[in-house]
Amino acid sequence: MRILWLALECAEPLFSGNGTLSRSMVPTLLEIPNVQILVVCAVADDQTSIRFNFETHGKAFTALTVKIPASKWRSLRRDGSWKEYNDGVIQYQKSVQDFNPDVVVGIDWHSLGPYKNLFPDEKRRPPYVYLNFRAFHASPGFSEEELKWYAPFEKECCDLASKTVTLGTPDAKLLKTLSGHEAIPLTCTVSPHIVDIANKINKTPAPPREYFLCCCRISQEKTIERFISVVEKLSRFLKEQNIRPFLCGARSDPKYTEACVSGLKKAFPDSVIVDFLSMEQLCEVYRKTWLNFHPALYEAYGLTMVEAGLFGAPSIAHHSDDIGALDFLSPARGEIFTEDLTDLEKTTVKVKELLCDKKNLNKLVPTVQKGAYHTQQENIVKNCMRFLNPY
């Protein structure tokens, strides 16, 4: 099976969960016998080398890259590099057609233009699987005008696709409402690399836990201010408990990032604030985390909640069907906590209640890990084959 993988973000430096998932799925698919993959992705023009940070072990993997202005990197929205990516793939039209893919997997709406540009003859286009990592037309935090801008792109992706695949049921419902086409929810998705790390270091003695973590891209739709407000209300309590707030995430919106960083420093001066970490560094942070706070009211999936769980760090998320990770992380089984995050008082009380009972958090480590381990590599392969068959 020859797979053409169209993903704006797949090579380093990654800046979002979308890119992390895209990159992690490629080596997983290469484990399937007789699979060949050609990746066509974008890279920032200030990068001196192209890195994917996975071992192909001699597998049939090739990458073609489109250089885009570094100033437009770190954004998957309409102000990002989608136009440059769209136009830049044309240089690879012959190489892609010589590869003669059996199927094209396109990540998000950014793959629509490249798919059409690489195969201008509609009658000779290979099947297109639209892998939607996020329904942009329904993302909270965007203006109504911007939401309407994404809708025709995502609808056309669904119209052209032989299969539409989402990361969970929330986006499957949204895309069906938008396009009228059924979508396949792809649950159980996590990087095989982080599972390998967890398998190794979870056998070693755990370090002392010390963090109240918020780990997600620092952009308006993630509503980081909810985390900051909780920290502000609990600042004295956190100091008494020797718990440090930790904000970690790629900075895609400079103005919003500045407001979040200054707000958190004001609320708790000893907070730890870092940009996107390597996988190994992030795993060490997860191991030292008491509670991971996921502030978004909508999340197609919520990769970091699963990642944190692999290391025994539970998450608290918005109590809503709009959080994809709740498809398989169960509050009833103690694998994740939920609360109405729009209610600051209730959220603050819940967080304090959880952090007060460290004995219970320690007791829940095996439960939280078991829930996250539902996302092991074998499940990813099975889920991928669901949308790649019968190509």
Side-chain angles (χ1 to χ4, degrees), residues 47 186 268 307 357:
Q47 296 301 299
L186 176 69
F268 199 101
E307 291 178 343
D357 196 350

Side-chain angles (χ1 to χ4, degrees), residues 153-290:
F153 286 93
E154 295 190 323
K155 183 179 185 303
E156 188 175 358
C157 286
C158 295
D159 291 342
L160 287 178
S162 56
K163 292 181 182 179
T164 295
V165 183
T166 65
L167 295 181
T169 54
D171 281 1
K173 293 176 182 177
L174 288 169
L175 290 178
K176 183 178 181 181
T177 300
L178 175 70
S179 68
H181 301 291
E182 293 290 339
I184 304 168
L186 176 69
T187 56
C188 301
T189 307
V190 73
S191 165
H193 181 41
I194 199 169
V195 173
D196 289 342
I197 295 173
N199 287 337
K200 292 175 183 176
I201 69 175
N202 281 343
K203 295 175 183 177
T204 64
R209 296 185 184 266
E210 59 176 309
Y211 297 134
F212 175 40
L213 177 65
C214 178
C215 181
C216 56
R217 190 174 67 259
I218 303 178
S219 55
Q220 293 184 41
E221 64 271 19
K222 300 297 185 183
T223 61
I224 308 295
E225 59 271 16
R226 296 182 194 282
F227 173 69
I228 297 170
S229 295
V230 171
V231 170
E232 183 177 20
K233 284 187 168 291
L234 294 179
S235 59
R236 179 178 293 182
F237 165 77
L238 293 172
K239 289 175 185 175
E240 292 171 350
Q241 295 291 317
N242 294 315
I243 297 173
R244 295 178 72 189
F246 195 123
L247 177 61
C248 168
R251 305 175 180 190
S252 58
D253 183 334
K255 187 175 180 181
Y256 182 72
T257 296
E258 183 180 349
C260 289
V261 169
S262 62
L264 185 56
K265 281 294 185 184
K266 183 178 179 182
F268 199 101
D270 197 31
S271 296
V272 183
I273 303 173
V274 298
D275 205 334
F276 211 72
L277 295 171
S278 71
M279 189 69 78
E280 290 73 16
Q281 291 171 323
L282 187 56
C283 292
E284 287 301 321
V285 173
Y286 288 145
R287 292 190 89 197
K288 297 178 180 179
T289 293
W290 282 112

Side-chain angles (χ1 to χ4, degrees), residues 317-361:
H318 185 47
H319 181 67
S320 168
D321 291 338
D322 292 333
I323 305 298
L326 295 179
D327 278 357
F328 54 93
L329 291 180
S330 168
R333 292 193 299 263
E335 297 165 351
I336 191 170
F337 302 108
T338 59
E339 185 53 84
D340 179 4
L341 299 190
T342 64
D343 189 325
L344 177 59
E345 294 304 321
K346 286 178 66 177
T347 302
T348 302
V349 169
K350 179 79 168 190
V351 169
K352 185 175 182 180
E353 175 186 294
L354 293 170
L355 291 175
C356 269
D357 196 350
K358 293 178 181 177
K359 184 177 180 180
N360 183 55
L361 290 176

Side-chain angles (χ1 to χ4, degrees), residues 209 213 285-287 289-292 304-305 307-315 335 365 368-369:
R209 296 185 184 266
L213 177 65
V285 173
Y286 288 145
R287 292 190 89 197
T289 293
W290 282 112
L291 183 67
N292 175 48
T304 56
M305 290 185 277
E307 291 178 343
L310 288 172
F311 300 90
S315 296
E335 297 165 351
V365 166
V368 173
Q369 288 177 328

Side-chain angles (χ1 to χ4, degrees), residues 133-149:
F133 283 173
R134 174 176 162 202
F136 282 75
H137 79 279
S139 293
F142 296 178
S143 68
E144 282 298 318
E145 184 271 332
E146 185 174 358
L147 293 174
K148 290 178 181 177
W149 188 90

